[in-house]
Amino acid sequence: MSEPKTPTPTPAGDTYKGWVFKWTNYIKGYQRRWFVLSNGLLSYYRTQAEMGHTCRGTINLATATITVDDACNFVISNGGAQTYHLKASCEVERQRWITALELAKAKAARMQAESDDSGDDFSPSSPPAAPGQGGSSQNSEVQSALRTLGSKVEDLSTCNDLISKHGSALQRSLSELDSLRLTGEAGDKIRQVTERATLFRITSNAMINACRDFLALAQAHSKRWQKALQAERDQRVRLEETLEQLAKQHNNLERAFRGAGQSNTATDSKSSSGPGKGEASDEDDDNEFFDAMEEAPEFITVPADPQLHKRSSSNVSGFNSEICADDQSLNEEPLAMNQESPSQELVPLKKRRTRIPDKPNYSLNLWSIMKNCIGKELSKIPMPVNFNEPISMLQRLSEDLEYHELLDKAGKCQSTLEQMCYVAAFSVSSYSTTVHRTGKPFNPLLGETFELDRRRESGYRSLCEQVSHHPPAAAHHVISDRGWTLRQEITVASKFRGKYLSIMPLGTIHAVFEKGNNHYTWKKVTTTVHNIIVGKLWIDQSGEIDVVNHTTGDRCHLKFAPYSYFSRDVARKVTGVVMDKDGKAHYVLSGTWDEKMEFSRVMQSSRGGENGTEGKQKTVYQTLKAREVWRKNPILDGAESMYFFTALALTLNEPEEGMAPTDSRRRPDQRLMEDGRWEEANAEKQRLEEKQRIARREREREAVSQRTSSQSEEGETIDEDSLTDPSLKSALHDNYRALWFDRCEDKITGEQVHIYKGGYWENKDRGNWEGCPDIF
């Protein structure tokens, strides 16, 4: 690290700029930052180049305290959330900064005192209102309001004079009556009326005097009001100028991005100053999880040469006709379905709901709950429903079928390589619902199920069951009348790191197509939830996926690029290449996991230049025009008040006839949360979790009893201390058996998984749920 520059004042003598070391965290320690002291504000940046667009933090010295730790260290704090621990390179430099900071603090405090002064004149530092702008109109509005107020007070004064005049006349008349020396009840009445008239006159005078005092006070403070309005106007002007500058920078970045996208040559240079997509965060909030270094692309795509296109016309025409045939068959598919099952036309489809109750606005101190949960598994943290969304993890898993039509199209493809493109797009589409969904699904109870019967609308039936609680695992099976089957068992591993939450789905997803018996497998990528404690929550997906066709050996490698503040590339980008078993590329996929995916036919590939310092060569693919394979459905109106649910998600918790007693739709705490009764939902959630713990302890006692009896027969003994033995604990967990899924070894992956054994839909048709446990 080079020696930091000594801060030097500007010729005006009221601005300091220079390098100072700032404490960031216990991992990175002190980091060099560029500090600027101006107008009573101390701001800092990562580099000098950032001064034009990204400020990492600012502290107002008017209310700050400055303390010296030792020869080089000093601390600046505003008594609130902002505290800067700084270190100069030497004692002389530290003293220069302390002197400059103390002078700036004194000046800032003096300016603040002048701004708080209630005198009639404007402060010399307050700029006058620019002619033709909002300042003069605001001043005129204040003067108009004062004139109106004065007019009303004059009206009250006139009324007071009339009241005094008529009140005096009334009192004289009453005095004359009193002088007649009336006795008895009449005299008492006259004296009572006289007293009331006098009291009324006194009250009226007090009211008028109060109004006059208010008018005088308003006139005395009118200048201060005008000054406050002027300060607000100046602040608004500054904000407008800042927004205009940001808009220009954003426009320049967009133009630079378009220019880079249209270039056919590869570039390995990196941008070190351009801001990325998203908000600028304080200090190291931008990319602690993914560092600022942008990874170079693994390949480059360029338009294919027209001559090459002509030479390959036979292949290309065959490819185009294949696409047209597939599209035509897909468009005719609903008609074919109706022809095969004409009885379905006679029964109208069920009308699904399109809204749920709006999300209530309940406040909650997140840190008070999360500070004791750092490093723990997310599934073991007792969370209130305030962090949830009113669906379970089983229902969230069923949302993978939001774009099931991609598998429908894949089942119609004549080419297995093109079929791979649709399967890969389907694997990406399952993340599109997560971009705004920051709520946590309910952890399913052991034995909880969820069915999604869309056979009449979409041709498929889906069933999920929670087959394990620690670790939490859910088995999922989908069968479609349109020639495909989908199954998966997902175990979620998660860690809360204080600043972000990492969610790692473990398990393999299988898709099997009747046509050609093609068997595909892939896994899920890592989901990261950022700004858990401070700031706006946002979600990122990162990692790599290999979609493999075990029948043909075809493979698609997908890469989810992590968000990088310094990246010039589009955010949430996904790229991939479809290759045959020999490693030859046939299609290139590109897009984003929150918007759309496209694929292009590769006509020719070649090795390009070296990729950075690693010496690797990038592959250049010449492709035909890209074709859109998937696009995300638009966000529903009012989705922000309905947890950003999609059209499918809104129907997942809708009650239906004939559901199993263990179905997630019957879960009471989830239903209470959807209805907006969160306090009751929290109490019900605790009851269900305690009921599940009791059931688990009962199963453990039964397992211990069985193990004890078996070992007694063999002449062995067991005591309670052996419960700490891991082998015994695993035996205890094995005591539970899923109801609709059997545990076996997967023939493709060799993993121990749960496979659907059948019987659920048959039992539903018979209405027989005798074997279902009582979990709610």
Side-chain angles (χ1 to χ4, degrees), residues 250-264 568:
H250 181 71
N251 191 25
N252 293 336
L253 287 173
E254 283 188 341
R255 286 201 299 268
F257 175 77
R258 294 193 188 100
Q262 293 173 358
S263 175
N264 291 339
R568 297 178 303 166

Side-chain angles (χ1 to χ4, degrees), residues 13 58 78 97 100 103 123 235 270 381 429 509 565 627 691:
T58 301
N78 63 357
W97 272 107
L103 292 175
S123 174
Q235 185 178 6
K270 282 174 48 64
I381 298 176
S429 69
I509 306 172
Y565 184 77
R627 176 187 174 204
K691 182 176 181 178

